[in-house]
Amino acid sequence: MISVKSAKEIEVMKRACEIAAGALVAAEKALRPGMSTWELDKVIHDYIVSKGARPSSLGYGGFPASACISVNSELIHGIPSKKKIIREGDIVSVDVTAEIDGYNGDNAYTFKVGEVSEEAQRLLQTTEEALYEGIKMAVAGNRIGDISNAVQTYCESRGYFIVEKFIGHGIGHEMHEAPDVPNFGKPGRGPRLVPGMTICIEPMVNQSCAQVRIMPDRWTVVEGNGNLSAHYEHTVAITDGEPLILTKSSLHHPK
Ligand code: MF3
Ligand code: CO
Ligand code: CO
């Protein structure tokens, strides 16, 4: 069942989303070559806890950290580690979910560490723009498939590959709720959007193939050929008017 939130519930959820978004800003500030992904996770953990919230990922299905941190070919679900050192030129995807007062906010961003290659830059720009193409379709009366198709069309027209194995989702009391929000599909299909729905749109995009591999740690999801991958995510509320990006922050947001 898809839960529809009242205006009051959305206000509460906004707090969780602001904290999740603030954690990404804190990560951006702390990010520097030479640090480990474990150190970056600690910055995120401490930020969330300092706001009186809980990192929803910690312990989720046994996940051992507060954020998923995925470097270069790693797409999602990277486990922070003291042994994983971030280098100049890396792209680092950070995915943070926070819970406060019984509601969750979920967002992700792929950061550039210093100067990155032209090909990395283009992948990041396309994936972030695809997220906004999806968000544009998140209006009452449309269907989930309209969002899915917008994301897919945008990425594929630029020569990239949508990963189908992992998808966006509804969000609220739980981090993952109905409906599924795939990054691929046909316009006019799927559940109809109504004001009060809250969903996570999160394109997961590969450079060279649609396939992924799961690493022996059983979490880390990697681009099938070991090439680059990117991930951006926002929590969005459907309203009577424009889509409301609940996880908006000072991080770059394309038009
Ligand atoms: N935040 C992720 C999402 O966008 C889920 C992370 S679950 C974890 O859906 F267990 F890996 F943290
Ligand atoms: Co997420
Ligand atoms: Co999500």
Side-chain angles (χ1 to χ4, degrees), residues 1 9 63 83 86 116 140 209 216 220 231 235 243 252:
M1 206 198 59
E9 286 176 284
F63 191 78
K83 286 189 218 143
I86 294 165
V116 304
C209 64
T220 314
H231 179 213
T235 299
H252 178 246

Side-chain angles (χ1 to χ4, degrees), residues 1-242:
M1 206 198 59
I2 301 176
S3 68
V4 172
K5 284 88 177 171
S6 66
K8 212 166 162 191
E9 286 176 284
I10 302 247
E11 275 311 304
V12 179
M13 209 167 129
K14 209 182 223 169
R15 281 277 300 145
C17 290
E18 279 167 6
I19 295 166
L24 287 184
V25 173
E28 181 190 46
K29 284 197 188 121
L31 189 59
R32 55 171 175 79
M35 87 190 301
S36 70
T37 56
W38 184 88
E39 286 176 89
L40 191 57
D41 179 69
K42 184 157 168 48
V43 169
I44 291 163
H45 175 271
D46 292 353
Y47 177 89
I48 292 171
V49 170
S50 78
K51 300 293 178 189
R54 191 183 72 82
S56 315
S57 297
L58 189 57
Y60 187 92
F63 191 78
S66 297
C68 299
I69 305 182
S70 311
V71 181
N72 294 333
S73 64
E74 296 170 355
L75 173 66
I76 52 167
H77 298 171
I79 301 176
S81 161
K82 287 182 177 171
K83 286 189 218 143
K84 184 117 197 162
I85 307 298
I86 294 165
R87 305 284 179 205
E88 167 89 24
D90 283 350
I91 57 171
V92 180
S93 302
V94 180
D95 187 351
V96 177
T97 312
E99 182 191 345
I100 191 165
D101 300 329
Y103 287 94
N104 287 274
D106 184 6
N107 64 169
Y109 199 92
T110 304
F111 296 101
K112 300 179 250 186
V113 184
E115 284 280 302
V116 304
S117 66
E118 194 95 9
E119 57 172 358
Q121 171 58 39
R122 184 170 175 270
L123 171 67
L124 266 48
Q125 188 177 335
T126 299
T127 308
E128 191 179 16
E129 286 172 355
L131 167 58
Y132 286 82
E133 291 301 309
I135 291 171
K136 273 186 210 162
M137 303 306 281
V139 294
N142 276 357
R143 292 180 183 270
I144 291 289
D146 298 313
I147 298 172
S148 304
N149 186 259
V151 171
Q152 178 178 23
T153 304
Y154 195 80
C155 293
E156 290 181 350
S157 74
R158 279 155 184 77
Y160 295 114
F161 298 83
I162 294 291
V163 171
E164 298 192 358
K165 201 175 153 79
F166 297 90
I167 55 180
H169 49 92
I171 186 166
H173 288 307
E174 304 296 331
M175 174 161 65
H176 293 150
E177 296 186 353
D180 287 349
V181 184
N183 296 304
F184 57 94
K186 292 194 168 68
R189 302 283 178 88
R192 194 175 289 283
L193 303 175
V194 304
M197 281 185 189
T198 48
I199 57 173
C200 290
I201 305 175
E202 49 179 313
M204 288 164 262
V205 178
N206 279 353
Q207 191 178 19
S208 71
C209 64
Q211 286 71 39
V212 290
R213 286 180 294 128
I214 314 282
M215 297 312 278
D217 65 20
R218 293 171 56 223
W219 278 104
T220 314
V221 178
V222 180
E223 213 260 8
N225 296 325
N227 289 117
L228 296 173
S229 58
H231 179 213
Y232 290 80
E233 173 176 31
H234 272 309
T235 299
V236 178
I238 313 302
T239 74
D240 291 321
E242 298 284 293

